[in-house]
Structure formats: C-alpha cells, structure tokens
Amino acid sequence: MVRTAVFSDVGQLFRVQSVGRLAILLAAALVLSGLGTSSAVAADQPRPNILFIMADDHAAHAISAYGSRVNKTPHIDRLATEGMRFDRCFVTNSICTPSRAVIMTGKYSHINGVPVFNRFDGSQPHLVKYLQAAGYYTAIVGKWHLGSDPTGFDYWNILPGQGLYYDPVFIEMGVRKKHPGYCTDLIIDFTLKVLEQRPKDKPFFLMCHHKAPHRPWDPAERHAKKWAGVEVPEPPTFHDDYATRSDAAREATMRIDRDLTPRDVKQKPPEGLSPEALKKWKYQRYMQDYLACIDAVDEGVGRLLEWLDRNGLSENTIVIYTSDQGFFLGDHNWYDKRFIYTESLRMPFLVRWPAVVKPGTVNGDIIINADFAPTLLEAAGLNVPGDMQGRSFMPLLRGQRPPDWRTAMYYRYYHYPAHHRVQPHYGLRSLRYTLVYFDKLDQWELFDLEKDPHETKNVYDDPEYADTVKQLKQQLYQLKKELKDEDQFADKPPKDDV
Ligand code: CA
C-alpha cells in the first residue's frame, strides 16, 4: 500500500509514502531550499509515537522529581527516572492561551497572533498539521482553550473554554455532551479510549491536556480530605515586601493574603485570626486544594504509563509531561503566573524516549516552548519549517549540546489589566540574570540569580552592574530584532533604550 500526502500550506511540499506498518519518510521539503534533512529516525526504524501530556498551571516546584518541598508525584517522577528532566524550560509568555499557541506553531505570540486570550487562527500551519500530513494519526483530549475549533486533528474531544472540574461538558468533533464525573479522570478515560481505538497502521501523536490544577482548584472527592491537617511548608519569599522592585510587583492583584477569594479558599476562616495568621491559613487552604488536584493528575499519568507498558508501546513512544507555564505557590506572596520571574517562567519538562534519551539524565540548557514543535517534527523524521522561531533540541535529548545553543531567552507578556493587573513587560532570562522592562511604567529590574536566586533584590540601579546592564540590554534588543518583535501588540510602541 502506497499513500501520498501533499501539504503546501507554507509553500512547502511534503511527500510521504508509507509501506504497511513501517512508515518510511522518503522525501520531504522539495520546494524550499535551505531546510536541512533530518536524521532523527533511521530509515528502517518505525517512527515513534508521541504522547504529549500537559497540565495547566502545574509549577515544577510541585513535582517531586524537581525537588518539591510540598508534595510527591511518584508517577510523573517515573518520566524523570526513565528519561530526561529539563531544568530550564521557559515559557515565552506566561499565560494559558498564548503558551498553547506558541506550542502549536513554534512561533512567538507577536507572530502567531495570540498575545492574550484571543482566538487562535487555525488556518495557519502548525505542528499537528505537519504531523498529520506526514501520516501520523493525530488526536487531542481535554483542555484546548484556543478559542477556535482544533485543526489538523483526526480526532478531538475538548473542554469548552476553561471547562469544569465536575460533570464537565466536552465537545467531541463539534458535538457537545455533558459527562458525569471528575474532569481529570474523564480526560484519562477518553485518552485511553483513543489509544485503544486508534488506527494501528500509523504512528500516533496524542495530546492529553488537563484542566487541573488550574483555579478554582476543586479536588477529586477521593483527595478532598487528603491534605486536611497537613502543614504545607511556606516558600522562602512568602513575606516578600517588594521593597526594591518596580511598581509592577506592588500593583499586581494576586496576593495570597489580599486577593484570594472565598470561592478560592472554600471554607470560612477561623474567627479572630490576626492578618498574619489569616495569610498563613489562606496559603494552607490554597495549597491543600492545589496539591490535591495534582494528585489526580499524577494518578492519571500512572494509568497512561501502565497502559503503554501493558501494550508493549513504552519502547517506541515519546512521553512528555509539561505544563502550559509555571505558577506562584505563595512565592512572593502570590498565586497565578504572568511575570517573567522564575516560578511563573519555568515549565516542568520531562521526556521519556528509550531509543534516544538516557534514563535519569538532567539537562540545564535553556529550552523554550517555541522549541517543542521543531523538536517533535525532527523526532518524527520531518524537516523543521524555516519560519518556526524555536529550535529543535533533539541534540540535547541525545546528550549532545550544540556549541551555539542559546544562553538567554526572550520573554514578552501583554495581558493588562485583566485579570491580575500584571503590567505588560518584556525581558531576557539568561543562565545568570533576569532583566525585565515594564514598558508602560518605563521601569526596569535586574536580578542576579547567582547571588539572589529568588529574585527579591533588584540591582538595576546598582553601579556595580552598570556594565552588565549595558551588555544584557544589547542582547535583549538583538533577540527582540531577530524574533521580529516590532511591538505589534503593544498599546504604544515602547522606546528601546539602546
Ligand atoms: Ca495555564
């Protein structure tokens, strides 16, 4: 059986032939020159399946493989033990919908058209379309949150918008239906059903996207009491007073003590608490539910891994666990995300792929969510389209660091004032520094992570850092230019301070 698929969305032509079960990529990128050929998959090897598991707002510091002080995630940890843990995986715009658009396209928000919670234009080329055109069976289950209907998927069963924790409606290929049960468990049930019923003559690309542990943090009934009476340790910056910071930190309305609502904490606080004691109580309530939501996610990962084991698919399936961004777990007295600061910027990223990735390895290089699409295309034996802005980290998966791998990444956030009055900003995160510019305020911050790993001391105006500031700014503007960020989505174009 010979099948030919032609895909010319961006002026590229992929011709894919598959012969029986062994799908072999014979020719690709015939039109555009300058695209390298991929050697990720030897011609006589079956192409790998890809199971992409993504949670929503799951901070790396709530995963025990990342050294969590607050919980244990034994099933997610399996991916670290049997695969690779990335310690510097950063999001380019720390908010749900934009991050998802970056993952789909391999392009920054100002190029893919999704800077805030606006609708994703699904007619543009993206990762899943490329995989589908190359003969992958493509499916997504769970939270989509891109406004438009999914494109490029053979099967989709998604939550409308944010979705609900209990008895949620799902939209299956355009048909809405309410399902009794707990959302995280239903997403795993439906994912397993896709795995069971998929066409067996194709490799699969399956996205399993959880709603959890997104606000409002409603745990499964079996976990509702699990954390009662547990004293969750407070983070080292719980009492941050923002003394050296820009006005942005003071303006943000996502403080544990002041901004968590009765719906968030769900119980009435004990009478007569001092402001300090009330803050501590609210933190405990928040974390108890947040961590209980993660317990169900972790169990679900266990069910998926167990299914792959039982069906002999663990060897040739790339399994990824990540989250659309990080989250503040009381760090700086905050919940939520949005800021460039580490807890919000960092995405957990664990990958197991026995054929390529050495078990139990850790990588400290900077990767970004725009790299996911190029990496997965290369892993599938495809060429990376020249207009993707991310870079394939296949070499890192093999344990080889290219000498010119990035040492800094560019970040930009737009969504203001909703929902938490986090000022728009752009900046740079390098191996050692965080440099950030709040363009509406015209205020800067610089953090030296070597001396100040928790980013509490802004040294932007410290004369000792004058040369560093100058150097980092050059690097920032260079990246901004290379990435074609021409302030397409800024209210008022900021003046670059060269
Ligand atoms: Ca999110």
Side-chain angles (χ1 to χ4, degrees):
M1 182 193 79
V2 173
R3 181 171 40 76
T4 301
V6 173
F7 182 62
S8 58
D9 239 25
V10 286
Q12 293 163 63
L13 187 67
F14 289 101
R15 180 172 299 165
V16 178
Q17 300 185 351
S18 67
V19 183
R21 282 183 171 228
L22 279 190
I24 303 167
L25 186 72
L26 292 178
L30 298 177
V31 174
L32 274 193
S33 57
L35 297 175
T37 47
S38 166
S39 58
V41 180
D44 57 347
Q45 293 276 317
R47 290 180 291 172
N49 304 302
I50 303 166
L51 175 58
F52 183 87
I53 309 167
M54 186 161 77
D56 192 331
D57 295 356
H58 189 178
H61 54 314
I63 293 176
S64 33
Y66 279 93
S68 168
R69 300 161 63 239
V70 293
N71 67 337
K72 294 264 186 289
T73 49
H75 299 293
I76 296 170
D77 290 358
R78 241 190 96 181
L79 296 175
T81 313
E82 298 170 11
M84 186 177 277
R85 184 187 85 204
F86 283 84
D87 280 356
R88 289 192 181 90
C89 179
F90 297 141
V91 67
T92 53
N93 180 359
S94 182
I95 187 169
C96 307
T97 301
S99 174
R100 286 154 202 269
V102 172
I103 289 169
M104 291 292 285
T105 58
K107 297 169 187 170
Y108 270 73
S109 306
H110 57 273
I111 301 292
N112 68 40
V114 187
V116 294
F117 284 105
N118 56 303
R119 194 173 165 276
F120 177 67
D121 173 7
S123 73
Q124 64 187 301
H126 60 68
L127 166 68
V128 188
K129 284 186 185 176
Y130 290 124
L131 290 171
Q132 188 185 45
Y136 268 75
Y137 174 72
T138 56
I140 179 168
V141 172
K143 186 166 176 182
W144 168 245
H145 206 207
L146 278 167
S148 51
D149 283 350
T151 56
F153 290 95
D154 295 308
Y155 175 81
W156 49 277
N157 193 6
I158 57 170
L159 297 167
Q162 294 280 5
L164 296 173
Y165 273 106
Y166 278 96
D167 304 333
V169 168
F170 279 77
I171 310 174
E172 184 185 25
M173 304 292 284
V175 180
R176 297 171 75 95
K177 191 179 161 194
K178 188 172 168 168
H179 296 266
Y182 185 63
C183 190
T184 305
D185 299 338
L186 290 168
I187 287 169
I188 297 299
D189 294 344
F190 298 158
T191 301
L192 290 172
K193 202 167 134 193
V194 171
L195 286 168
E196 297 276 2
Q197 297 179 354
R198 75 192 196 282
K200 307 291 190 295
D201 60 343
K202 288 179 167 194
F204 65 80
F205 175 71
L206 173 53
M207 300 179 109
C208 169
H209 285 192
H210 283 295
K211 168 189 176 55
H214 192 281
R215 204 181 185 192
W217 315 300
D218 293 333
E221 273 161 23
R222 65 184 179 280
H223 298 129
K225 296 262 162 38
K226 179 184 167 182
W227 291 87
V230 174
E231 182 82 10
V232 182
E234 291 165 5
T237 57
F238 192 48
H239 301 292
D240 193 350
D241 61 3
Y242 320 124
T244 67
R245 310 280 277 282
S246 72
D247 292 333
R250 284 179 286 276
E251 182 184 348
T253 52
M254 48 199 220
R255 295 191 195 174
I256 296 286
D257 52 357
R258 186 190 62 193
D259 302 317
L260 278 173
T261 66
R263 169 69 178 98
D264 290 326
V265 297
K266 302 180 190 75
Q267 297 171 15
K268 232 170 115 47
E271 299 280 334
L273 292 181
S274 68
E276 170 75 14
L278 182 60
K279 177 182 175 181
K280 287 169 173 285
W281 180 86
K282 281 185 162 184
Y283 169 75
Q284 294 298 328
R285 281 301 309 128
Y286 157 50
M287 287 299 287
Q288 286 162 357
D289 286 348
Y290 178 85
L291 296 175
C293 287
I294 290 170
D295 286 327
V297 171
D298 188 58
E299 289 174 3
V301 171
R303 287 174 65 197
L304 294 176
L305 296 182
E306 195 267 334
W307 189 94
L308 292 175
D309 287 343
R310 196 155 27 87
N311 288 273
L313 287 174
S314 296
E315 200 61 29
N316 197 37
T317 300
I318 302 170
V319 183
I320 288 166
Y321 185 84
T322 188
S323 165
D324 58 348
Q325 7 67 211
F327 214 67
F328 295 107
L329 307 180
D331 313 280
H332 308 288
N333 187 18
W334 287 327
Y335 59 97
D336 215 75
K337 56 264 180 177
R338 297 158 194 272
F339 279 113
I340 190 176
Y341 310 133
T342 301
E343 297 84 356
S344 145
L345 183 75
R346 182 158 77 145
M347 310 163 82
F349 196 89
L350 302 167
V351 53
R352 185 183 77 178
W353 186 7
V356 170
V357 174
K358 199 172 159 213
T361 44
V362 175
N363 180 286
D365 294 308
I366 295 175
I367 61 168
I368 57 177
N369 55 342
D371 297 337
F372 296 1
T375 304
L376 294 176
L377 288 178
E378 194 185 342
L382 297 171
N383 293 283
V384 178
D387 63 345
M388 282 193 175
Q389 296 180 305
R391 179 173 175 182
S392 166
F393 52 83
M394 272 298 297
L396 304 180
L397 292 174
R398 292 196 199 93
Q400 298 152 358
R401 183 184 186 281
D404 62 342
W405 192 258
R406 74 169 73 80
T407 54
M409 59 81 68
Y410 180 72
Y411 181 88
R412 185 151 193 174
Y413 172 81
Y414 301 87
H415 198 224
Y416 180 86
H419 296 92
H420 294 284
R421 301 196 67 87
V422 171
Q423 282 279 345
H425 56 289
Y426 58 88
L428 170 144
R429 166 71 184 243
S430 73
L431 292 168
R432 176 162 174 187
Y433 297 101
T434 303
L435 176 74
V436 48
Y437 179 57
F438 295 92
D439 48 286
K440 282 166 94 85
L441 298 172
D442 190 24
Q443 293 178 7
W444 290 86
E445 292 177 350
L446 173 68
F447 301 96
D448 181 347
L449 301 165
E450 209 171 275
K451 294 179 180 160
D452 176 28
H454 300 300
E455 296 164 312
T456 55
K457 190 168 177 256
N458 175 16
V459 292
Y460 180 79
D461 291 319
D462 184 335
E464 271 190 36
Y465 286 89
D467 286 344
T468 303
V469 165
K470 207 172 146 192
Q471 238 173 46
L472 289 174
K473 276 189 181 175
Q474 274 173 4
Q475 207 176 353
L476 172 67
Y477 294 127
Q478 181 63 29
L479 278 174
K480 189 168 183 260
K481 197 172 148 191
E482 278 171 21
L483 292 165
K484 300 183 174 62
D485 181 356
E486 292 156 2
D487 307 307
Q488 290 95 324
F489 293 104
D491 294 350
K492 187 176 73 157
K495 208 168 68 244
D496 286 351
D497 177 18
V498 186

